[in-house]
Amino acid sequence: MQIDKLRGRQLDQLFDAILSLKDREECYRFFDDIATMSEVQSFVQRLQVAKMLQEGQTYHSIVEESSASTTTISRVKRCLNYGNDGYQMVLSRLNEEKEN
């Protein structure tokens, strides 16, 4: 994992902070303080691209709908195909919640 290079007490503290959030409103408040709007938008866009790729959408339709660059789409696709299944795990859980 690439993130292993950053693994340690400080990154653990960040993840623990995120895991301590109790609801969506707390997430809004925390991410408003910790990240720029551009950084948050990048996270949003990557998750949207991952979802669209899993749905089988083409690069062209993803660019049109998400405004993501082909570089971002390629990077997300590489993570979906060769990454640590983080996108699949989250998207699967979101789909399960949606069905319930």
Side-chain angles (χ1 to χ4, degrees), residues 12-55:
D12 288 350
Q13 184 178 23
L14 172 64
F15 290 158
D16 290 344
I18 293 168
L19 289 168
S20 77
L21 300 170
K22 293 179 176 44
D23 57 29
R24 188 175 290 138
E25 187 57 36
E26 287 188 3
C27 289
Y28 273 102
R29 291 170 54 197
F30 180 70
F31 280 90
D32 191 39
D33 284 348
I34 199 168
T36 66
M37 292 301 101
S38 179
E39 291 166 333
V40 172
Q41 182 56 39
S42 292
F43 293 145
V44 169
Q45 186 180 66
R46 290 177 193 147
L47 186 60
Q48 180 186 14
V49 167
K51 183 176 185 277
M52 295 172 80
L53 284 168
Q54 277 197 333
E55 292 170 350

Side-chain angles (χ1 to χ4, degrees), residues 70-86:
T70 56
T71 302
T72 296
I73 299 168
S74 295
R75 190 173 299 130
V76 171
K77 185 172 184 173
R78 189 169 45 253
C79 288
L80 285 170
N81 291 334
Y82 306 108
N84 293 295
D85 296 328

